[in-house]
Amino acid sequence: MQTKFILFSGKGGVGKTSMASTTAVYYAEKGCKTLIVTTDPAANLSDVFEQEIGHKITPIEGVQNLYAMEIDPDKATDEYKERSLAPMRELFDEDLIKVAEEQLSGPCTEEMAAFDKFIDFMETDDYEVVIFDTAPTGHTIRLLELPVDWSRHIEESAKGSGQTCMGPVALIQDSKKKYDNAIAKLRDFNQTDFIFVMQPEETSLQETLRSSHDLEEIGIHTTKVIINGLIPEAETIVPFFKGKYDRQQVVIEKAKELFSQLPIQTMELFDTELKGVDMFKRSAEKLFQGSDSNE
Ligand SMILES: Nc1ncnc2c1ncn2[C@@H]1O[C@H](COP(=O)(O)OP(=O)(O)OP(=O)(O)O)[C@@H](O)[C@H]1O
Ligand SMILES: [Mg+2]
């Protein structure tokens, strides 16, 4: 079995967490062992699933096969430091360990730690589906660019000074392999889905186009777009909503033209917030209506 990875990206507040949670509930309900992980430092999976989650894999109540985790950047940094220092503790004296510890307090450790934790989940084969709910686009693209930068940085440092911003190059050669491996998976659209969520508005469409292009620059392809927040057709008896509905349809048509190669899913606006397992079962029905059971 090959694990399927699904990343959700998009601007702040467009519905990434809602669509990621909807998709997670959909796959879990279908019987796939599913993990939803958030890389957003302002994680709120606990709020939407209405239970304590935090920096550990937690079974979600009310849905079999569904697990969730919120990556805590501080805890990820501590774990990463400890993992990097552990092998050195046996070999070197305290003074050297102190120097290494200082190096690991450099500016790139935190970013590296977050990515390291993120790709840990790309290496497990415990789940059939792993869903990543991410922070707003800029942050995520930066996160995904990092390993490309690092890989290059490690390579150049190996030829030159032997020092990297993460410590001596000899100690992190293994990490380079791990990063290269993760990048390859992210670029492989047979294994990784990269979904942009947007609102049915012109500005949101423009932002999605730009971000999708930025992602393409690092070799990661967008595989789907979800347009979230459509006025339900039944509401168009009110002129205010009819006007908005019509403008939304124009944006949808334009999105279909501009992303002509990609599947586009749409999601109606609900009259309540999207939270709680029962609500996600409802939204999953709408999001995946008409899709075959093999999806
Ligand atoms: N289709 C919808 N119908 C009704 N409410 C929605 C819908 N989609 C999202 N919402 C609500 O809009 C708000 C923002 O959605 P969500 O948290 O999923 O966005 P986000 O992109 O993850 O935001 P952030 O960038 O802050 O992480 C939430 O309160 C959510 O419940
Ligand atoms: Mg969110």
Side-chain angles (χ1 to χ4, degrees):
M1 176 207 75
Q2 194 179 46
T3 306
K4 186 187 175 90
F5 303 104
I6 311 177
L7 281 89
F8 285 84
S9 192
K11 217 177 128 188
V14 291
K16 296 177 291 297
T17 302
S18 305
M19 295 305 105
S21 305
T22 297
T23 306
V25 168
Y26 170 77
Y27 279 108
E29 283 263 283
K30 261 179 40 166
C32 301
K33 190 172 175 192
T34 302
L35 173 68
I36 176 166
V37 185
T38 176
T39 63
D40 188 350
N44 63 343
L45 287 180
S46 297
D47 297 334
V48 299
F49 283 107
E50 301 171 318
Q51 72 177 72
E52 195 62 42
I53 296 173
H55 191 72
K56 59 177 188 319
I57 294 176
T58 308
I60 295 299
E61 294 154 20
V63 198
Q64 267 191 352
N65 307 312
L66 184 58
Y67 300 82
M69 166 157 177
E70 299 172 316
I71 298 177
D72 176 331
D74 293 338
K75 288 196 178 131
T77 305
D78 289 347
E79 281 171 16
Y80 175 73
K81 278 188 190 167
E82 207 30 61
R83 213 179 332 162
S84 310
L85 291 174
M88 297 178 67
R89 288 198 196 282
E90 289 168 21
L91 298 171
F92 302 114
D93 63 26
E94 226 168 88
D95 286 350
L96 252 164
I97 302 287
K98 270 217 179 93
V99 174
E101 229 169 341
E102 266 164 35
Q103 273 177 339
L104 279 173
S105 304
C108 60
T109 304
E110 215 161 286
E111 286 186 319
M112 180 119 160
F115 187 78
D116 211 62
K117 191 77 220 164
F118 161 61
I119 59 173
D120 267 356
F121 293 106
M122 297 205 73
E123 294 198 320
T124 71
D125 49 11
D126 292 347
Y127 301 90
E128 286 167 79
V129 183
V130 179
I131 292 173
F132 295 101
D133 167 32
T134 73
T137 323
H139 185 274
T140 301
I141 288 180
R142 176 74 198 128
L143 183 79
L144 297 173
E145 274 170 351
L146 283 174
V148 181
D149 288 354
W150 282 329
S151 211
R152 205 178 303 134
H153 179 53
I154 294 170
E155 226 168 81
E156 281 164 10
S157 304
K159 287 183 211 142
S161 66
Q163 278 298 320
T164 72
C165 70
M166 304 150 259
V169 85
L171 285 175
I172 52 173
Q173 282 291 0
D174 278 355
S175 308
K176 181 175 179 323
K177 255 184 243 147
K178 191 166 145 183
Y179 298 142
D180 287 346
N181 200 358
I183 300 162
K185 281 187 193 171
L186 285 167
R187 286 177 175 161
D188 176 4
F189 50 77
N190 288 315
Q191 201 171 355
T192 305
D193 257 332
F194 202 104
I195 302 178
F196 271 104
V197 183
M198 59 170 272
Q199 292 281 315
E201 288 158 10
E202 182 63 32
T203 47
S204 193
L205 175 59
Q206 293 307 329
E207 203 268 345
T208 308
L209 277 170
R210 267 199 309 275
S211 302
S212 168
H213 179 78
D214 289 349
L215 208 65
E216 204 64 48
E217 302 251 288
I218 49 171
I220 300 176
H221 318 283
T222 305
T223 58
K224 194 194 279 182
V225 175
I226 297 180
I227 307 181
N228 175 41
L230 263 59
I231 303 281
E233 207 179 341
E235 304 302 327
T236 56
I237 44 172
V238 179
F240 176 85
F241 290 123
K242 171 80 171 94
K244 200 164 169 67
Y245 175 89
D246 288 343
R247 283 190 296 279
Q248 290 186 341
Q249 296 303 316
V250 172
V251 177
I252 294 171
E253 285 314 310
K254 198 165 168 191
K256 282 183 180 160
E257 262 168 48
L258 291 168
F259 291 106
S260 59
Q261 310 293 325
L262 298 181
I264 294 187
Q265 279 178 311
T266 55
M267 179 55 125
E268 276 183 9
L269 195 61
F270 283 82
D271 62 359
T272 59
E273 267 187 286
L274 277 177
K275 81 195 265 226
V277 162
D278 290 337
M279 191 69 197
F280 290 129
K281 287 181 185 169
R282 279 177 57 199
S283 56
E285 239 169 66
K286 281 206 189 289
L287 189 62
F288 291 93
Q289 67 191 351
S291 66
D292 62 54
S293 55
N294 296 323
E295 190 173 355

